[in-house]
Amino acid sequence: MGTDNTKKAYNSRYQTALLQPRSPLKTKYQYVYQWISERIDKQSFQPGERLPSIRDLSQKLSVSKNTVIRAYQQLEANQKITAQARSGYRVNRSRVIQGQPEPVPEPGFVDLMTLSKKIMELPVSREVLPMGSAHPDTDFPAINSLYAEIGRHSRYQSHIPSHYQLPPGNDQLLKQLVGINRELGITISKQSLLVTHGAQQAISLSLQALTSPGDIVLVESASYFGNLMLLESLGLKVIEIPASPVTGIHLDALEQPLKDWPVKAILINPSFNNPTGYVMSTADRLRFLAMTRGIPIIEDDVFGGLAYHQRPLPLKTLDQENRVIYCNSLSKTLDSRLRIGWVVAGKYQAVIEKRLLTDNMGSPNLIHSAVAQFLASGKYRQHLGKIRRSYAKKQQVFYQQLTLALDQYPQLRDHYHLTQPTGGFLCWLTLAEHADSQAIYQQALSQGISVLPGTMFSTHKRFRHCLRLSFANFRENNTWQQGLDQLAAIIAGQIKQ
């Protein structure tokens, strides 16, 4: 945690940056109304995004709570925002597509391997401020217990005969994963679950089971670069459907491509999405399933267990056709080095299990038996509670410090949008359209700061003006504060007034 002096300095800067001169309006409430309305129109507040609380906004703008309440009531009357019970106010979702919807590109092959490989090969260094990777924070007591368990099992393994652990996987691990899935809302038996080498293998096996080279797969845009690389390696064509960084895939933009093209599968990450952090609402999930009836869906849910508050139901739980293939892992909730994932494949299980057997000829016995014992101890559930609370707090402070740093520069203020996810540890920074995230990435790296350029998350370079940032390892200290200030300076230097 930061020192008292650091916090005092931060609070002073925060207040100074927020108290901008007011427009010469007749009343304070009109000023507040205009302040919010302009940010909605410029999409600094995205459709579906939660607006600041009444208390926070009254402090931020130095007005009374009643003034904020009146402004919010007027915005609601004008259908710009909606009040939600115990959740404050949110920007209306009906504003998701403003003007003409963005055109959906025709199917095309992916070409990201060279760029992604170069960035992924960046050596791990303690000197780099790690906002670029999607690895979880492992500075928790449970992680030490986990590796102590792995050590005990490594000694035990030397006393038993060598053998393969054939699919579906270690029986005790399967039992524990059934319990984890139950808490996520998915009730299954051990026989319905296959253990894989991370969620990435689960998705890869699913794509291989459903498609052949040259087939068309539909994805959301922006989309996780690892999934795009899988599609590239399998020789598949991709249709990218535009998605809001707050509410998810634009369903209106989905209709025509489904009519025009023979889509063989859909790959989607609807909960705390990588890279944007969006969550698709239950209503949109139901509409999405209705619109795509009959088409196999691969659900990537690796961040699903990291909801700060209410966890959205997976698509798998809403599926009435047994066509959703559910993929998850322990990489985001425990440690990405474990490489333990699983797939609930439904009617596609037989073909996926066959491919899993021929791909692996068995699973890593040591890790699987040790992790099964660790999960059985009950420490995993305690760990989940701690990391959810930790990431929720980090998201709040990270957002405050980064937006404060960005708002120091007139050319940036009111010309960017930073998502505030309600789970996971990734957020999405959208800058002015002429910004060059690749240049920002290169310059930030030279200053010991890692970020990921938006160009990695699309086949059409649509997100050249965006950055994916991770706050998993964020700390409230001078190093991070100075790093965020430096990143803001780099962005401001790249975006001229």
Side-chain angles (χ1 to χ4, degrees), residues 146 149 172-178 180 330 333-334 338 340 342 368-381:
L146 168 64
E149 194 67 57
Q172 289 304 310
L173 179 59
L174 286 167
K175 180 180 178 181
Q176 296 303 319
L177 293 180
V178 165
I180 289 175
L330 299 176
T333 54
L334 271 179
L338 295 175
I340 292 181
W342 65 91
H368 284 201
S369 62
V371 171
Q373 187 64 42
F374 169 80
L375 295 175
S377 72
K379 293 178 181 178
Y380 177 71
R381 178 177 290 184

Side-chain angles (χ1 to χ4, degrees), residues 297-430:
I297 296 171
I298 303 171
E299 181 179 13
D300 178 358
D301 198 38
V302 293
F303 288 95
L306 292 177
Y308 304 156
H309 306 294
Q310 186 174 0
R311 190 270 191 273
L313 287 174
L315 287 170
K316 183 68 177 176
T317 67
L318 305 172
D319 174 25
Q320 300 297 314
E321 300 179 275
N322 200 24
R323 62 187 169 99
V324 173
I325 302 176
Y326 180 80
C327 302
N328 207 332
S329 80
L330 299 176
S331 294
K332 309 306 179 186
T333 54
L334 271 179
D335 193 335
S336 54
R337 291 170 290 191
L338 295 175
R339 308 310 300 143
I340 292 181
W342 65 91
V343 56
V344 182
K347 62 185 178 182
Y348 308 104
Q349 177 162 340
V351 64
I352 290 178
E353 184 169 356
K354 181 178 179 180
R355 287 183 177 273
L356 177 60
L357 176 62
T358 55
D359 267 16
N360 282 1
M361 288 301 292
S363 304
N365 303 7
L366 165 62
I367 298 297
H368 284 201
S369 62
V371 171
Q373 187 64 42
F374 169 80
L375 295 175
S377 72
K379 293 178 181 178
Y380 177 71
R381 178 177 290 184
Q382 298 172 8
H383 175 67
L384 271 182
K386 288 181 179 179
I387 60 174
R388 287 166 178 159
R389 291 190 295 272
S390 175
Y391 289 144
K393 175 63 175 175
K394 287 181 179 182
Q395 186 271 121
Q396 181 183 34
V397 181
F398 180 87
Y399 179 89
Q400 290 175 343
Q401 292 193 4
L402 181 54
T403 54
L404 169 61
L406 294 169
D407 284 346
Q408 306 288 323
Y409 301 94
Q411 67 267 41
L412 299 182
R413 191 183 306 123
D414 298 334
H415 296 288
Y416 68 87
H417 178 259
L418 179 64
T419 59
Q420 292 182 271
T422 56
F425 48 76
L426 300 176
C427 57
W428 186 246
L429 178 61
T430 303

Side-chain angles (χ1 to χ4, degrees), residues 462-480:
R462 293 182 53 244
F463 303 106
R464 190 177 181 85
H465 60 302
C466 300
L467 295 169
R468 192 196 75 178
L469 306 172
S470 169
F471 50 86
N473 292 285
F474 172 77
R475 300 290 186 269
E476 288 187 71
N477 58 32
N478 285 330
T479 299
W480 272 89

